[in-house]
Amino acid sequence: MYFAALLARTEDGWEASDTELLDNVETLSDLADLAREAAAEDDTVLVLIEQEDAWFGVVRIDGEEDPRIYVSDAAAAARSSYGEILLTDELLGREPADDPDLDALDLDGTEDGEDEEEDDDVTAETVGSGEAVPHGPVGDPQVLDDLGVSEKELKALSADALTEIAESLGASEVLETVR
């Protein structure tokens, strides 16, 4: 079971809204746009995502800055559709996937007639497999430092992480209204 919520910081505190990410979001860019729409001006917005007892993720959007992401267990998140949105190549320390249009061109320097099929299979298997996804946390563990949740506290969270984060932010009541 998944739970996802947006917490938008306002002059009066935090405002929460729940969201059906799968209906509205296919990429991290879509998620950032959704979060920015929930923000009053360029205030901070947190996207909190949790898969029951498996992993949680925090995405922080501050105005037009790039999203900052923390995922508690990348390997567990990689097995979920929400996790796939958060686990970008950059977050995992991988080279970005090749542009499919460029793959169609013969830019690797091989001569016509050479068999490239074996190399392509290895690349696809490595990129598409979960082997490159580490077990444990990935991302920015200091994503909530200035909001009262230290790196050490964030890494120690487990079962009901989103509730604990919301309590630290002073937003537990507004989060519970959308849970």
Side-chain angles (χ1 to χ4, degrees), residues 6 25 27-36 43-47 49 57-71 85-88 90-92 138-144:
L6 296 172
V25 175
T27 66
L28 182 59
S29 180
D30 293 342
L31 182 62
D33 291 343
L34 180 69
R36 286 183 183 106
D43 290 330
T44 298
V45 178
L46 301 176
V47 181
I49 302 171
V58 177
V59 179
R60 179 178 178 158
I61 310 293
D62 292 304
E64 292 301 315
E65 292 181 27
D66 288 340
R68 294 172 56 197
I69 305 167
Y70 176 82
V71 176
I85 294 169
L86 304 182
L87 297 175
T88 62
E90 181 180 341
L91 188 71
L92 296 172
V138 295
D140 182 355
Q142 298 171 339
V143 67
L144 299 174

Side-chain angles (χ1 to χ4, degrees), residues 64-142:
E64 292 301 315
E65 292 181 27
D66 288 340
R68 294 172 56 197
I69 305 167
Y70 176 82
V71 176
S72 65
D73 186 339
R79 294 185 297 268
S80 89
S81 52
Y82 285 168
E84 289 177 358
I85 294 169
L86 304 182
L87 297 175
T88 62
D89 288 333
E90 181 180 341
L91 188 71
L92 296 172
R94 294 189 219 166
E95 289 294 317
D98 292 333
D99 184 343
D101 294 334
L102 293 178
D103 287 342
L105 299 174
D106 183 23
L107 300 176
D108 65 357
T110 59
E111 296 294 322
D112 288 338
E114 285 187 27
D115 187 9
E116 297 179 54
E117 189 173 318
E118 186 176 325
D119 289 341
D120 289 345
D121 288 345
V122 171
T123 303
E125 187 176 306
T126 303
V127 172
S129 74
E131 291 177 44
V133 178
H135 289 277
V138 295
D140 182 355
Q142 298 171 339

Side-chain angles (χ1 to χ4, degrees), residues 2-18:
Y2 291 99
F3 173 71
L6 296 172
L7 284 180
R9 190 181 203 171
T10 68
E11 290 178 4
D12 301 324
W14 293 95
E15 292 181 6
S17 58
D18 63 344

